[in-house]
């Protein structure tokens, strides 16, 4: 892959990813290709969840990585996973699209519920367990769709994308305290939206 000796590795579990970033900054196309492979599904899931149109999500995901490639030299390690940087780029493209077309953000339950983040069923589950898990997942997705835009985005980033509090704060351009408060309100609202027997 051609990692360069001058590229200092970031400490912690993200070190390998940041080695790829440093190599890509030095012009290693294979390194950027590996970054793409690692993060394309995460970015696509996020975009699809925000806009609800698979074809448009594909286009925005492609645009995200084109912009990332053009800006790869500007990113630097700040104690966070580089995935947050890709999501920030995707979020900005989605927001630009919303502003330009007055597109209504929505959640598409059928496509998103098929994503890897929401299909953690054990293979040995019987049909009853699978039916119950599917109904639960769909009910939860409908409740998430009913949240306001900020609360929905916070829930998607934190619990569906699995980003940290600091990564979510960076993407949403807020401080961690504001994200904690937003997450708290969103979870309380979800609890109110769930069917009475599930609370």
């Amino acid at each position: 892959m051609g990692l360069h000796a001058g590229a200092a590795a970031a400490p912690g579990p993200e070190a390998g990813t940041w080695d790829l970033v440093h190599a890509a900054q030095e012009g290693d196309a294979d390194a950027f290709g590996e970054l793409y492979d690692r993060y394309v599904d995460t970015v696509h899931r996020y975009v699809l969840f925000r806009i609800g149109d698979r074809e448009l999500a594909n286009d925005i995901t492609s645009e995200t990585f084109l912009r990332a490639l053009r800006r790869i030299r500007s990113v630097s390690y700040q104690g966070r996973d580089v995935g947050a940087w890709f999501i920030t780029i995707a979020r900005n493209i989605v927001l630009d699209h919303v502003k330009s077309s007055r597109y209504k953000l929505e959640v598409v339950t059928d496509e998103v519920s098929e994503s890897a983040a929401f299909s953690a069923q054990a293979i040995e589950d019987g049909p009853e367990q699978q039916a119950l898990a599917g109904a639960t997942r769909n009910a939860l997705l409908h409740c998430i769709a009913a949240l306001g835009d900020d609360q929905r985005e916070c829930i998607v980033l934190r619990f569906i994308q699995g980003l940290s509090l600091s990564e979510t704060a960076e993407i949403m351009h807020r401080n961690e305290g504001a994200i904690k408060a937003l997450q708290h309100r969103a979870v309380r609202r979800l609890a109110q939206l769930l069917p009475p027997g599930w609370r």
Side-chain angles (χ1 to χ4, degrees), residues 136-182:
T136 302
R137 185 173 54 245
N138 286 338
L140 182 57
L141 287 166
H142 281 292
C143 292
I144 292 170
L147 294 173
D149 287 346
D150 283 349
Q151 289 182 349
R152 180 172 58 239
E153 183 169 23
C154 181
I155 292 296
V156 168
L157 291 171
R158 291 284 289 128
F159 301 114
I160 295 177
Q161 296 296 338
L163 297 181
S164 71
L165 197 63
S166 62
E167 290 167 338
T168 301
E170 181 182 348
I171 289 167
M172 294 187 73
H173 305 295
R174 298 184 183 192
N175 64 44
E176 290 185 26
I179 294 298
K180 281 182 186 176
L182 182 61

mmCIF file of all heavy atoms in Angstrom, residues 136-182:
data_model
loop_
_atom_site.group_PDB
_atom_site.id
_atom_site.type_symbol
_atom_site.label_atom_id
_atom_site.label_comp_id
_atom_site.label_asym_id
_atom_site.label_seq_id
_atom_site.Cartn_x
_atom_site.Cartn_y
_atom_site.Cartn_z
ATOM 1 N N THR A 136 -40.659 -4.772 15.722
ATOM 2 C CA THR A 136 -40.048 -3.846 16.676
ATOM 3 C C THR A 136 -39.188 -2.824 15.952
ATOM 4 O O THR A 136 -39.271 -1.618 16.215
ATOM 5 C CB THR A 136 -39.187 -4.623 17.694
ATOM 6 O OG1 THR A 136 -40.016 -5.584 18.355
ATOM 7 C CG2 THR A 136 -38.554 -3.705 18.713
ATOM 8 N N ARG A 137 -38.366 -3.298 15.027
ATOM 9 C CA ARG A 137 -37.486 -2.417 14.261
ATOM 10 C C ARG A 137 -38.305 -1.396 13.464
ATOM 11 O O ARG A 137 -38.013 -0.203 13.477
ATOM 12 C CB ARG A 137 -36.605 -3.258 13.335
ATOM 13 C CG ARG A 137 -35.561 -2.477 12.576
ATOM 14 C CD ARG A 137 -34.607 -3.378 11.813
ATOM 15 N NE ARG A 137 -35.281 -4.302 10.927
ATOM 16 C CZ ARG A 137 -35.279 -5.637 11.062
ATOM 17 N NH1 ARG A 137 -34.622 -6.203 12.032
ATOM 18 N NH2 ARG A 137 -35.925 -6.407 10.213
ATOM 19 N N ASN A 138 -39.364 -1.854 12.797
ATOM 20 C CA ASN A 138 -40.185 -0.947 11.992
ATOM 21 C C ASN A 138 -40.905 0.080 12.857
ATOM 22 O O ASN A 138 -41.002 1.250 12.492
ATOM 23 C CB ASN A 138 -41.182 -1.732 11.135
ATOM 24 C CG ASN A 138 -40.503 -2.424 9.971
ATOM 25 O OD1 ASN A 138 -39.418 -2.027 9.544
ATOM 26 N ND2 ASN A 138 -41.121 -3.471 9.457
ATOM 27 N N ALA A 139 -41.407 -0.358 14.011
ATOM 28 C CA ALA A 139 -42.079 0.581 14.920
ATOM 29 C C ALA A 139 -41.095 1.641 15.397
ATOM 30 O O ALA A 139 -41.419 2.836 15.453
ATOM 31 C CB ALA A 139 -42.684 -0.170 16.105
ATOM 32 N N LEU A 140 -39.879 1.223 15.725
ATOM 33 C CA LEU A 140 -38.866 2.170 16.189
ATOM 34 C C LEU A 140 -38.489 3.151 15.077
ATOM 35 O O LEU A 140 -38.364 4.352 15.314
ATOM 36 C CB LEU A 140 -37.631 1.420 16.688
ATOM 37 C CG LEU A 140 -36.513 2.277 17.257
ATOM 38 C CD1 LEU A 140 -37.005 3.135 18.413
ATOM 39 C CD2 LEU A 140 -35.349 1.396 17.710
ATOM 40 N N LEU A 141 -38.348 2.658 13.862
ATOM 41 C CA LEU A 141 -38.024 3.536 12.738
ATOM 42 C C LEU A 141 -39.130 4.558 12.473
ATOM 43 O O LEU A 141 -38.852 5.713 12.175
ATOM 44 C CB LEU A 141 -37.736 2.713 11.480
ATOM 45 C CG LEU A 141 -36.397 1.978 11.483
ATOM 46 C CD1 LEU A 141 -36.346 0.942 10.380
ATOM 47 C CD2 LEU A 141 -35.250 2.950 11.352
ATOM 48 N N HIS A 142 -40.379 4.135 12.612
ATOM 49 C CA HIS A 142 -41.497 5.070 12.440
ATOM 50 C C HIS A 142 -41.457 6.138 13.520
ATOM 51 O O HIS A 142 -41.733 7.313 13.253
ATOM 52 C CB HIS A 142 -42.836 4.335 12.451
ATOM 53 C CG HIS A 142 -43.156 3.664 11.153
ATOM 54 N ND1 HIS A 142 -43.443 4.359 9.995
ATOM 55 C CD2 HIS A 142 -43.238 2.359 10.824
ATOM 56 C CE1 HIS A 142 -43.683 3.514 9.011
ATOM 57 N NE2 HIS A 142 -43.552 2.288 9.481
ATOM 58 N N CYS A 143 -41.116 5.756 14.746
ATOM 59 C CA CYS A 143 -41.015 6.729 15.833
ATOM 60 C C CYS A 143 -39.860 7.699 15.573
ATOM 61 O O CYS A 143 -39.996 8.908 15.808
ATOM 62 C CB CYS A 143 -40.821 6.015 17.173
ATOM 63 S SG CYS A 143 -42.270 5.082 17.701
ATOM 64 N N ILE A 144 -38.728 7.192 15.088
ATOM 65 C CA ILE A 144 -37.592 8.057 14.768
ATOM 66 C C ILE A 144 -37.996 9.050 13.676
ATOM 67 O O ILE A 144 -37.644 10.227 13.734
ATOM 68 C CB ILE A 144 -36.362 7.227 14.335
ATOM 69 C CG1 ILE A 144 -35.813 6.430 15.532
ATOM 70 C CG2 ILE A 144 -35.268 8.113 13.750
ATOM 71 C CD1 ILE A 144 -34.756 5.407 15.168
ATOM 72 N N ALA A 145 -38.773 8.585 12.702
ATOM 73 C CA ALA A 145 -39.222 9.457 11.608
ATOM 74 C C ALA A 145 -40.099 10.593 12.126
ATOM 75 O O ALA A 145 -40.140 11.671 11.528
ATOM 76 C CB ALA A 145 -39.975 8.639 10.564
ATOM 77 N N ALA A 146 -40.774 10.380 13.243
ATOM 78 C CA ALA A 146 -41.676 11.388 13.795
ATOM 79 C C ALA A 146 -40.950 12.457 14.612
ATOM 80 O O ALA A 146 -41.554 13.458 14.994
ATOM 81 C CB ALA A 146 -42.744 10.711 14.653
ATOM 82 N N LEU A 147 -39.673 12.261 14.890
ATOM 83 C CA LEU A 147 -38.902 13.258 15.639
ATOM 84 C C LEU A 147 -38.635 14.484 14.779
ATOM 85 O O LEU A 147 -38.668 14.416 13.550
ATOM 86 C CB LEU A 147 -37.555 12.661 16.080
ATOM 87 C CG LEU A 147 -37.587 11.511 17.084
ATOM 88 C CD1 LEU A 147 -36.184 10.949 17.264
ATOM 89 C CD2 LEU A 147 -38.163 11.952 18.420
ATOM 90 N N GLY A 148 -38.312 15.595 15.415
ATOM 91 C CA GLY A 148 -37.876 16.781 14.684
ATOM 92 C C GLY A 148 -36.532 16.507 14.027
ATOM 93 O O GLY A 148 -35.827 15.563 14.391
ATOM 94 N N ASP A 149 -36.156 17.350 13.074
ATOM 95 C CA ASP A 149 -34.928 17.120 12.301
ATOM 96 C C ASP A 149 -33.690 16.966 13.177
ATOM 97 O O ASP A 149 -32.909 16.043 12.992
ATOM 98 C CB ASP A 149 -34.705 18.257 11.300
ATOM 99 C CG ASP A 149 -35.672 18.203 10.123
ATOM 100 O OD1 ASP A 149 -36.326 17.159 9.932
ATOM 101 O OD2 ASP A 149 -35.761 19.200 9.396
ATOM 102 N N ASP A 150 -33.482 17.884 14.133
ATOM 103 C CA ASP A 150 -32.283 17.820 14.974
ATOM 104 C C ASP A 150 -32.268 16.575 15.841
ATOM 105 O O ASP A 150 -31.248 15.900 15.966
ATOM 106 C CB ASP A 150 -32.173 19.061 15.871
ATOM 107 C CG ASP A 150 -31.695 20.280 15.112
ATOM 108 O OD1 ASP A 150 -31.248 20.134 13.956
ATOM 109 O OD2 ASP A 150 -31.761 21.380 15.684
ATOM 110 N N GLN A 151 -33.410 16.264 16.457
ATOM 111 C CA GLN A 151 -33.471 15.066 17.309
ATOM 112 C C GLN A 151 -33.253 13.810 16.479
ATOM 113 O O GLN A 151 -32.527 12.901 16.883
ATOM 114 C CB GLN A 151 -34.814 14.999 18.038
ATOM 115 C CG GLN A 151 -34.963 16.039 19.122
ATOM 116 C CD GLN A 151 -36.278 15.915 19.868
ATOM 117 O OE1 GLN A 151 -37.180 15.180 19.472
ATOM 118 N NE2 GLN A 151 -36.394 16.654 20.971
ATOM 119 N N ARG A 152 -33.877 13.769 15.296
ATOM 120 C CA ARG A 152 -33.722 12.592 14.432
ATOM 121 C C ARG A 152 -32.269 12.426 14.025
ATOM 122 O O ARG A 152 -31.715 11.328 14.086
ATOM 123 C CB ARG A 152 -34.622 12.727 13.197
ATOM 124 C CG ARG A 152 -34.510 11.524 12.261
ATOM 125 C CD ARG A 152 -35.544 11.560 11.142
ATOM 126 N NE ARG A 152 -35.445 12.755 10.344
ATOM 127 C CZ ARG A 152 -36.428 13.637 10.187
ATOM 128 N NH1 ARG A 152 -37.583 13.475 10.786
ATOM 129 N NH2 ARG A 152 -36.257 14.707 9.435
ATOM 130 N N GLU A 153 -31.608 13.527 13.638
ATOM 131 C CA GLU A 153 -30.220 13.411 13.220
ATOM 132 C C GLU A 153 -29.336 12.952 14.381
ATOM 133 O O GLU A 153 -28.451 12.118 14.203
ATOM 134 C CB GLU A 153 -29.700 14.740 12.671
ATOM 135 C CG GLU A 153 -28.278 14.606 12.179
ATOM 136 C CD GLU A 153 -27.791 15.794 11.391
ATOM 137 O OE1 GLU A 153 -28.338 16.894 11.549
ATOM 138 O OE2 GLU A 153 -26.841 15.612 10.612
ATOM 139 N N CYS A 154 -29.591 13.465 15.566
ATOM 140 C CA CYS A 154 -28.817 13.059 16.744
ATOM 141 C C CYS A 154 -28.970 11.561 16.999
ATOM 142 O O CYS A 154 -27.976 10.858 17.212
ATOM 143 C CB CYS A 154 -29.278 13.867 17.960
ATOM 144 S SG CYS A 154 -28.376 13.472 19.473
ATOM 145 N N ILE A 155 -30.186 11.053 16.948
ATOM 146 C CA ILE A 155 -30.443 9.622 17.182
ATOM 147 C C ILE A 155 -29.773 8.777 16.097
ATOM 148 O O ILE A 155 -29.152 7.750 16.381
ATOM 149 C CB ILE A 155 -31.962 9.343 17.234
ATOM 150 C CG1 ILE A 155 -32.578 9.985 18.482
ATOM 151 C CG2 ILE A 155 -32.253 7.847 17.191
ATOM 152 C CD1 ILE A 155 -32.094 9.433 19.803
ATOM 153 N N VAL A 156 -29.875 9.213 14.851
ATOM 154 C CA VAL A 156 -29.260 8.471 13.741
ATOM 155 C C VAL A 156 -27.743 8.397 13.928
ATOM 156 O O VAL A 156 -27.132 7.327 13.824
ATOM 157 C CB VAL A 156 -29.616 9.102 12.378
ATOM 158 C CG1 VAL A 156 -28.754 8.528 11.261
ATOM 159 C CG2 VAL A 156 -31.088 8.887 12.064
ATOM 160 N N LEU A 157 -27.128 9.542 14.211
ATOM 161 C CA LEU A 157 -25.671 9.564 14.356
ATOM 162 C C LEU A 157 -25.209 8.761 15.558
ATOM 163 O O LEU A 157 -24.249 7.991 15.471
ATOM 164 C CB LEU A 157 -25.173 11.014 14.468
ATOM 165 C CG LEU A 157 -25.296 11.852 13.203
ATOM 166 C CD1 LEU A 157 -24.985 13.313 13.501
ATOM 167 C CD2 LEU A 157 -24.384 11.332 12.103
ATOM 168 N N ARG A 158 -25.884 8.924 16.692
ATOM 169 C CA ARG A 158 -25.427 8.278 17.926
ATOM 170 C C ARG A 158 -25.727 6.782 17.952
ATOM 171 O O ARG A 158 -24.868 5.980 18.293
ATOM 172 C CB ARG A 158 -26.084 8.945 19.147
ATOM 173 C CG ARG A 158 -25.607 10.343 19.411
ATOM 174 C CD ARG A 158 -24.219 10.377 20.039
ATOM 175 N NE ARG A 158 -24.285 9.912 21.403
ATOM 176 C CZ ARG A 158 -23.513 8.959 21.913
ATOM 177 N NH1 ARG A 158 -22.600 8.384 21.180
ATOM 178 N NH2 ARG A 158 -23.635 8.590 23.159
ATOM 179 N N PHE A 159 -26.944 6.386 17.593
ATOM 180 C CA PHE A 159 -27.361 5.014 17.837
ATOM 181 C C PHE A 159 -27.434 4.139 16.593
ATOM 182 O O PHE A 159 -27.292 2.924 16.703
ATOM 183 C CB PHE A 159 -28.705 4.999 18.571
ATOM 184 C CG PHE A 159 -28.640 5.724 19.889
ATOM 185 C CD1 PHE A 159 -29.347 6.884 20.088
ATOM 186 C CD2 PHE A 159 -27.817 5.269 20.903
ATOM 187 C CE1 PHE A 159 -29.271 7.571 21.291
ATOM 188 C CE2 PHE A 159 -27.734 5.941 22.103
ATOM 189 C CZ PHE A 159 -28.455 7.101 22.307
ATOM 190 N N ILE A 160 -27.634 4.723 15.430
ATOM 191 C CA ILE A 160 -27.670 3.902 14.215
ATOM 192 C C ILE A 160 -26.293 3.889 13.563
ATOM 193 O O ILE A 160 -25.787 2.844 13.190
ATOM 194 C CB ILE A 160 -28.772 4.391 13.260
ATOM 195 C CG1 ILE A 160 -30.135 4.180 13.940
ATOM 196 C CG2 ILE A 160 -28.705 3.661 11.928
ATOM 197 C CD1 ILE A 160 -31.321 4.678 13.177
ATOM 198 N N GLN A 161 -25.655 5.067 13.480
ATOM 199 C CA GLN A 161 -24.289 5.112 12.941
ATOM 200 C C GLN A 161 -23.262 4.727 13.995
ATOM 201 O O GLN A 161 -22.142 4.375 13.660
ATOM 202 C CB GLN A 161 -23.976 6.505 12.402
ATOM 203 C CG GLN A 161 -24.827 6.917 11.227
ATOM 204 C CD GLN A 161 -24.600 6.045 10.002
ATOM 205 O OE1 GLN A 161 -23.571 5.395 9.860
ATOM 206 N NE2 GLN A 161 -25.571 5.999 9.113
ATOM 207 N N GLY A 162 -23.603 4.851 15.282
ATOM 208 C CA GLY A 162 -22.691 4.462 16.356
ATOM 209 C C GLY A 162 -21.562 5.446 16.601
ATOM 210 O O GLY A 162 -20.512 5.075 17.126
ATOM 211 N N LEU A 163 -21.761 6.715 16.248
ATOM 212 C CA LEU A 163 -20.714 7.704 16.461
ATOM 213 C C LEU A 163 -20.678 8.130 17.931
ATOM 214 O O LEU A 163 -21.677 8.060 18.639
ATOM 215 C CB LEU A 163 -20.945 8.930 15.578
ATOM 216 C CG LEU A 163 -20.884 8.696 14.073
ATOM 217 C CD1 LEU A 163 -21.114 9.992 13.322
ATOM 218 C CD2 LEU A 163 -19.556 8.080 13.652
ATOM 219 N N SER A 164 -19.522 8.588 18.357
ATOM 220 C CA SER A 164 -19.357 9.042 19.738
ATOM 221 C C SER A 164 -20.041 10.392 19.923
ATOM 222 O O SER A 164 -20.419 11.065 18.960
ATOM 223 C CB SER A 164 -17.871 9.176 20.068
ATOM 224 O OG SER A 164 -17.320 10.281 19.369
ATOM 225 N N LEU A 165 -20.147 10.786 21.184
ATOM 226 C CA LEU A 165 -20.717 12.086 21.518
ATOM 227 C C LEU A 165 -19.916 13.209 20.867
ATOM 228 O O LEU A 165 -20.482 14.134 20.265
ATOM 229 C CB LEU A 165 -20.721 12.238 23.041
ATOM 230 C CG LEU A 165 -21.612 13.312 23.632
ATOM 231 C CD1 LEU A 165 -23.074 13.033 23.331
ATOM 232 C CD2 LEU A 165 -21.400 13.378 25.137
ATOM 233 N N SER A 166 -18.590 13.119 20.945
ATOM 234 C CA SER A 166 -17.749 14.184 20.377
ATOM 235 C C SER A 166 -17.844 14.210 18.851
ATOM 236 O O SER A 166 -17.866 15.285 18.240
ATOM 237 C CB SER A 166 -16.295 14.031 20.827
ATOM 238 O OG SER A 166 -15.755 12.817 20.382
ATOM 239 N N GLU A 167 -17.916 13.048 18.211
ATOM 240 C CA GLU A 167 -18.059 13.001 16.751
ATOM 241 C C GLU A 167 -19.398 13.594 16.323
ATOM 242 O O GLU A 167 -19.482 14.348 15.350
ATOM 243 C CB GLU A 167 -17.921 11.567 16.249
ATOM 244 C CG GLU A 167 -16.511 11.025 16.369
ATOM 245 C CD GLU A 167 -16.420 9.520 16.175
ATOM 246 O OE1 GLU A 167 -17.429 8.797 16.349
ATOM 247 O OE2 GLU A 167 -15.319 9.057 15.845
ATOM 248 N N THR A 168 -20.457 13.254 17.068
ATOM 249 C CA THR A 168 -21.789 13.788 16.762
ATOM 250 C C THR A 168 -21.803 15.300 16.935
ATOM 251 O O THR A 168 -22.352 16.029 16.104
ATOM 252 C CB THR A 168 -22.847 13.125 17.664
ATOM 253 O OG1 THR A 168 -22.804 11.709 17.447
ATOM 254 C CG2 THR A 168 -24.244 13.635 17.358
ATOM 255 N N ALA A 169 -21.173 15.783 18.001
ATOM 256 C CA ALA A 169 -21.101 17.229 18.244
ATOM 257 C C ALA A 169 -20.370 17.934 17.105
ATOM 258 O O ALA A 169 -20.804 18.987 16.628
ATOM 259 C CB ALA A 169 -20.402 17.495 19.583
ATOM 260 N N GLU A 170 -19.270 17.335 16.645
ATOM 261 C CA GLU A 170 -18.501 17.927 15.548
ATOM 262 C C GLU A 170 -19.343 17.999 14.277
ATOM 263 O O GLU A 170 -19.389 19.028 13.600
ATOM 264 C CB GLU A 170 -17.232 17.117 15.303
ATOM 265 C CG GLU A 170 -16.360 17.663 14.196
ATOM 266 C CD GLU A 170 -15.128 16.809 13.924
ATOM 267 O OE1 GLU A 170 -14.813 15.910 14.724
ATOM 268 O OE2 GLU A 170 -14.483 17.048 12.901
ATOM 269 N N ILE A 171 -20.029 16.925 13.951
ATOM 270 C CA ILE A 171 -20.832 16.873 12.732
ATOM 271 C C ILE A 171 -21.994 17.860 12.786
ATOM 272 O O ILE A 171 -22.297 18.536 11.808
ATOM 273 C CB ILE A 171 -21.344 15.434 12.498
ATOM 274 C CG1 ILE A 171 -20.180 14.536 12.076
ATOM 275 C CG2 ILE A 171 -22.460 15.406 11.440
ATOM 276 C CD1 ILE A 171 -20.491 13.060 12.114
ATOM 277 N N MET A 172 -22.631 17.976 13.956
ATOM 278 C CA MET A 172 -23.802 18.840 14.085
ATOM 279 C C MET A 172 -23.431 20.279 14.454
ATOM 280 O O MET A 172 -24.313 21.114 14.661
ATOM 281 C CB MET A 172 -24.786 18.241 15.096
ATOM 282 C CG MET A 172 -25.394 16.927 14.630
ATOM 283 S SD MET A 172 -26.694 16.314 15.724
ATOM 284 C CE MET A 172 -28.032 17.469 15.325
ATOM 285 N N HIS A 173 -22.128 20.548 14.544
ATOM 286 C CA HIS A 173 -21.639 21.896 14.854
ATOM 287 C C HIS A 173 -22.205 22.427 16.175
ATOM 288 O O HIS A 173 -22.682 23.556 16.250
ATOM 289 C CB HIS A 173 -21.947 22.881 13.713
ATOM 290 C CG HIS A 173 -21.435 22.430 12.387
ATOM 291 N ND1 HIS A 173 -20.089 22.303 12.112
ATOM 292 C CD2 HIS A 173 -22.085 22.041 11.264
ATOM 293 C CE1 HIS A 173 -19.937 21.871 10.871
ATOM 294 N NE2 HIS A 173 -21.128 21.703 10.336
ATOM 295 N N ARG A 174 -22.140 21.568 17.203
ATOM 296 C CA ARG A 174 -22.596 21.932 18.540
ATOM 297 C C ARG A 174 -21.585 21.430 19.551
ATOM 298 O O ARG A 174 -20.745 20.598 19.232
ATOM 299 C CB ARG A 174 -23.959 21.311 18.844
ATOM 300 C CG ARG A 174 -25.031 21.794 17.900
ATOM 301 C CD ARG A 174 -26.361 21.254 18.279
ATOM 302 N NE ARG A 174 -27.350 21.694 17.305
ATOM 303 C CZ ARG A 174 -28.627 21.571 17.484
ATOM 304 N NH1 ARG A 174 -29.101 21.033 18.581
ATOM 305 N NH2 ARG A 174 -29.468 21.985 16.555
ATOM 306 N N ASN A 175 -21.708 21.891 20.782
ATOM 307 C CA ASN A 175 -20.806 21.358 21.807
ATOM 308 C C ASN A 175 -21.401 20.074 22.388
ATOM 309 O O ASN A 175 -22.581 19.761 22.164
ATOM 310 C CB ASN A 175 -20.501 22.407 22.895
ATOM 311 C CG ASN A 175 -21.729 22.810 23.681
ATOM 312 O OD1 ASN A 175 -22.538 21.982 24.089
ATOM 313 N ND2 ASN A 175 -21.878 24.106 23.903
ATOM 314 N N GLU A 176 -20.576 19.330 23.118
ATOM 315 C CA GLU A 176 -21.014 18.033 23.631
ATOM 316 C C GLU A 176 -22.178 18.166 24.602
ATOM 317 O O GLU A 176 -23.066 17.313 24.639
ATOM 318 C CB GLU A 176 -19.836 17.292 24.277
ATOM 319 C CG GLU A 176 -18.818 16.834 23.250
ATOM 320 C CD GLU A 176 -17.701 15.997 23.850
ATOM 321 O OE1 GLU A 176 -17.917 15.366 24.905
ATOM 322 O OE2 GLU A 176 -16.614 15.974 23.254
ATOM 323 N N GLY A 177 -22.190 19.237 25.393
ATOM 324 C CA GLY A 177 -23.299 19.454 26.323
ATOM 325 C C GLY A 177 -24.619 19.609 25.594
ATOM 326 O O GLY A 177 -25.650 19.070 26.024
ATOM 327 N N ALA A 178 -24.595 20.343 24.484
ATOM 328 C CA ALA A 178 -25.822 20.530 23.693
ATOM 329 C C ALA A 178 -26.280 19.207 23.084
ATOM 330 O O ALA A 178 -27.486 18.928 23.023
ATOM 331 C CB ALA A 178 -25.584 21.572 22.597
ATOM 332 N N ILE A 179 -25.328 18.385 22.659
ATOM 333 C CA ILE A 179 -25.684 17.080 22.088
ATOM 334 C C ILE A 179 -26.265 16.167 23.160
ATOM 335 O O ILE A 179 -27.243 15.459 22.932
ATOM 336 C CB ILE A 179 -24.470 16.426 21.388
ATOM 337 C CG1 ILE A 179 -24.055 17.253 20.166
ATOM 338 C CG2 ILE A 179 -24.777 14.982 20.988
ATOM 339 C CD1 ILE A 179 -25.116 17.372 19.083
ATOM 340 N N LYS A 180 -25.682 16.187 24.360
ATOM 341 C CA LYS A 180 -26.232 15.376 25.464
ATOM 342 C C LYS A 180 -27.679 15.769 25.740
ATOM 343 O O LYS A 180 -28.549 14.909 25.910
ATOM 344 C CB LYS A 180 -25.409 15.571 26.738
ATOM 345 C CG LYS A 180 -24.122 14.798 26.783
ATOM 346 C CD LYS A 180 -23.437 15.041 28.122
ATOM 347 C CE LYS A 180 -22.068 14.402 28.142
ATOM 348 N NZ LYS A 180 -21.331 14.699 29.382
ATOM 349 N N ALA A 181 -27.937 17.080 25.799
ATOM 350 C CA ALA A 181 -29.295 17.554 26.063
ATOM 351 C C ALA A 181 -30.241 17.172 24.923
ATOM 352 O O ALA A 181 -31.367 16.716 25.163
ATOM 353 C CB ALA A 181 -29.286 19.070 26.267
ATOM 354 N N LEU A 182 -29.779 17.327 23.683
ATOM 355 C CA LEU A 182 -30.592 16.970 22.522
ATOM 356 C C LEU A 182 -30.892 15.479 22.515
ATOM 357 O O LEU A 182 -32.025 15.054 22.272
ATOM 358 C CB LEU A 182 -29.856 17.382 21.236
ATOM 359 C CG LEU A 182 -30.567 17.124 19.912
ATOM 360 C CD1 LEU A 182 -31.875 17.893 19.830
ATOM 361 C CD2 LEU A 182 -29.648 17.509 18.749
#
